[in-house]
Amino acid sequence: MTLVRAVAILLFFFLSTHSQAQDFEVSGILKDKTTKQPLEAATVFMETVKDTTLITYTITNAKGEFVLEGKTNQKEVSVNISFVGYEDYRKTIDLTNSKVDLGDIFIDFSVATLEEVVVKSRAPITVKKDTLEFNVKSFKTKKDANIEDLLKELPGVEVDEDGKITVNGKEVNKILVNGKPFFGDDPTIATRNLTKEIVEKIQVTDTKTDDEAFAGEEGDQENKTINLTIAEENNKGIFGRVAGGFGTDERFEFAGIVNVFDNDRRVSILGGGNNLNSAGFSFGEIRKFFGGGNSIYVNGNGSFGIDGRSFGGGQGIVNSRNAGANYADVIGEKIDISADYFYSGGNSFDEVRTERENILPDRRFFTNSNTRSDGNVDDHSANVTFNIKVDSTFLINIKPAFRINRNENRFTSTEESLDDQGERINESSTNNRTLNTGGNFENSVSLTKRFGDKGAFLKFRLQNEINKQESEDFIQSQTEIFGDNPSILNRDQFTDGETGLNGYNLGVTYRQPLIAKKLFLDLEFGYRNDNRTRKRSTFDFNESTQQFDSFNLELSTDFAGRNIRTTPEVSLRYNTDKFNISFGAGYVFRRLENEDFLRPEFNIAQDFEAVELSSYLNYTFSPKMSSYFGYNLSNSPPQVTQLNPFVDVSDPLNIIQGNPDLAPSNSHSFYGGFNNYDFQKGGGYYLNFNGNITNDAIVTKTIVDENLVRSTTYENVDGNYQIYGGGGYNKSSKIDSIRTIKYGAGINVNANRNINFNNNVQYASRTTSIGPSVNASFTWKDLFEIRPRYNLSFSNTIFGIDSFEDQDFLRHNLNLSTALFVPKHVEWRNEIQYSYNPNVAPGFQQSAWFWNSTVAYSFLKDKATVTLKVYDVLNQNTNARRIANANFIQDIQSTVLEQYFLLSFSWKFNTLGNKGESGGDDFFFF
């Protein structure tokens, strides 16, 4: 009876709160006070009079019109208008009458500079040419939210479970803090470890390099950059946190980050480690502690597994460690510097058992194998960026990057192949120990000079790369072939290897305005020269000397390859506030050379020529609606190893030979999209597509003989294509100030055609897949949230050869995320995944559950947190899975992470004060 009463009270509270809210509609037309012309893209927002809490907002259209709609229990509200370069407008209105028409509203130019207007604006959203800016204070999140939590509340922004961010369907590939990189290319380090409180604005733009932004060039149309602008009062002080935990089965994790901000100078230091298969850096107090995305996935014929994906993307158990530092500063008035260093390492262990059915046009055979591997990886990388602004028209950009790596691995395997009667055809065993060390240096120098104020510029860019890798490989193997001509091949060998790259890339671009700031003629010249070396000296073990001193010419290589490319290009670009179009054409002169020092008869020198094209079209209908299209024709040469006719017999059962007659591939790629997001209504949709059609695609061609020895080479084929289309709709609706409902739906369609060879028989396979999905969330502020997601996936594959059966696969996936925030200071989160596969093969489960749970308790003013984490609550993690295609059906079982419990503690410290003054003693207590 108590439970019934509690439910009844909650229901009554829900209905009574909802009934108090009333509908409203406030409209008007915004105009320039002097010209009387309408003003488009101004932000209009409504707030409460008492505490300026945001109620709703919108953007004016091309006619200056706006309508504010929604529900509120406020009788008196404030209507505000903000527009870059104009005075702010504010008016208190009475909502006793639910419909209010403000008529024509005239605003005047601001006497302040544009920068001052932007900084002081309280508008939740500001539209500035190619930049969308969000005011952080206008978007409510849970207490102590990080940047990822905040991004999930922004209109048009989506964040998946792995931290991947999209804005209206376009992926975010760069995160900046005050315009500078934060720990290189891993955006989750910023989004998961910086808190909302320190950020004032979030700016979304097309991704551009520093010199592209300085020159006023168009950015990457397919990717977005997010810049986190730190509030002035939060730009001086020390903040960060540390965490550590231990659990069952000797599981552990630890992490720490310290940030020191001093206006233009910014220093961050981090470190961490765990044996939870999480190779990246993350605290994971509540979420993301499960490592590299443990999830249910489906392969081939619809059977599935739950896989703790590990360091390097495989399975197994990984003990990872990492450390890093980030530095940004302004030196004098002209030099802007940012630098980062990151170390990542890991010890891995894995055992894999594989059963594979190989399909040939005239027969089938079976391969069974068992492998065991363990290794250690250490990787050091450093990046530095110098922006030297000689004057307002001349920028020098220098970006050196360094990397040193060491990889040691031990690998053993046994394998046997049988015919369809179960008779052994061959078998092999291998014991391998390798050590790889290397270093890489890259540097980019660009000089950009602007001329006048019409958009003219000259840009010079020089990039170079020096890479050297050394290896030591000890291998013992035995290969036995049965049948009418039996043979046994034993190997005990040492291989000393060395590969190198020395290349540089030169580019010059001159832009001439034909119509000031609108129509441009670009003249470009590019020259690239890559020189690669590969030397592998193999020595057989000498029983007499007990040394590896018998040189094996058959298994040794020593060659140098060159890829020289010269490309003149011309393009036209036309830009307005609403319309951007570009078309460019280039001609490629390419020379490929290969010099074989051991086998001079294999020397190669070939010349290729090709046309390359590039184009795009962007059109902005309104601040809410835009579209984009693009087409490119590109030329890709075969690799020198694919051209070299040298026969590689290092694996006696898999022989590879290059094809000197290969031609470069020409790829026609295209993309497009349409975005429509109504900020005021909190909903919108996007559509996008992309595709690729490749002529002279380079594919492998394998022939299997009667002893099941594979001989592989390469061929050019025509007719390969890949086409993708998708779209989504999302809607957010506030029931009242504490309850919010979000829901959405999406679909993606893929179609591809691939030309393949099966034992010298050419055929085409066509695959079509459709994946609709729906999602929803209900949030009750400070109480709970629930986020269900469901997606259906269907694929159909048709093989253009009679001996292969067509395949149809169907799977269902359901994800449920829940969070409970009561009692106070307690947070309980659950991630539940369910998968159902009706097309499962015999011997495999049709369904599986995977449930992870965390409970966290915060105390000492929420600075300290104790967390209990349970991985795989139901203890159903399985490592069995099936992969299938036209050539084989393969069942795999490998080592995976199993159920564990882990108790952890974290501490946060913060001395950020007001207006650049440090405050508090948290850091010193820590």
Side-chain angles (χ1 to χ4, degrees), residues 13 86 110 375 380 416 465-466 471 679 711 758 787 841:
F13 180 75
Y86 284 81
S110 173
H380 304 262
E416 64 173 359
E465 180 179 2
I466 301 173
S471 64
F679 297 102
S711 298
N758 188 288
R787 302 174 184 267

Side-chain angles (χ1 to χ4, degrees), residues 438-654:
N440 186 80
F441 170 73
E442 297 180 48
N443 190 33
S444 172
V445 178
S446 68
L447 311 176
T448 306
K449 174 67 176 177
R450 297 188 305 209
F451 302 99
D453 59 356
K454 298 180 180 180
F457 69 81
L458 176 65
K459 181 167 66 176
F460 172 88
R461 177 180 292 177
L462 177 63
Q463 297 172 302
N464 74 290
E465 180 179 2
I466 301 173
N467 185 300
K468 185 177 181 180
Q469 301 289 325
E470 296 180 343
S471 64
E472 295 180 357
D473 190 348
F474 294 88
I475 183 171
Q476 292 177 322
S477 69
Q478 182 182 66
T479 303
E480 183 172 3
I481 296 176
F482 305 99
D484 297 334
N485 298 301
S487 63
I488 297 178
L489 176 62
N490 292 313
R491 286 181 174 174
D492 187 1
Q493 297 169 333
F494 165 71
T495 299
D496 185 11
E498 181 179 310
T499 61
L501 167 64
N502 191 339
Y504 63 91
N505 184 13
L506 171 66
V508 180
T509 302
Y510 175 70
R511 172 168 290 185
Q512 175 61 45
L514 303 180
I515 300 177
K517 299 182 180 180
K518 289 188 176 181
L519 181 62
F520 305 98
L521 174 67
D522 287 359
L523 302 176
E524 301 179 51
F525 175 80
Y527 177 81
R528 184 181 188 96
N529 190 325
D530 289 334
N531 294 275
R532 299 179 182 272
T533 58
R534 183 186 181 191
K535 184 176 182 179
R536 291 178 57 84
S537 300
T538 300
F539 300 87
D540 294 321
F541 185 75
N542 191 325
E543 294 290 346
S544 301
T545 63
Q546 295 294 299
Q547 299 289 329
F548 292 99
D549 56 12
S550 179
F551 183 71
N552 190 318
L553 176 64
E554 185 180 25
L555 298 180
S556 300
T557 59
D558 186 4
F559 66 82
R562 283 171 290 278
N563 178 4
I564 303 172
R565 170 190 164 110
T566 305
T567 311
E569 185 176 351
V570 60
S571 59
L572 279 173
R573 305 177 188 272
Y574 182 72
N575 302 327
T576 67
D577 290 339
K578 289 182 171 292
F579 187 73
N580 297 318
I581 187 171
S582 170
F583 179 79
Y587 199 79
V588 179
F589 299 91
R590 188 190 304 275
R591 182 171 180 82
L592 294 179
E593 297 178 356
N594 177 69
E595 186 175 5
D596 195 320
F597 300 105
L598 295 180
R599 305 167 185 85
E601 67 274 15
F602 290 159
N603 289 351
I604 298 172
Q606 297 187 34
D607 294 310
F608 304 98
E609 296 181 14
V611 174
E612 290 192 331
L613 303 173
S614 63
S615 63
Y616 70 83
L617 167 66
N618 294 338
Y619 187 77
T620 302
F621 299 92
S622 70
K624 304 175 184 178
M625 188 185 307
S626 63
S627 63
Y628 60 96
F629 303 94
Y631 164 78
N632 296 286
L633 171 62
S634 59
N635 180 263
S636 301
Q639 299 177 15
V640 173
T641 53
Q642 294 174 326
L643 285 171
N644 194 336
F646 164 69
V647 181
D648 183 353
V649 293
S650 56
D651 183 348
L653 299 179
N654 295 278

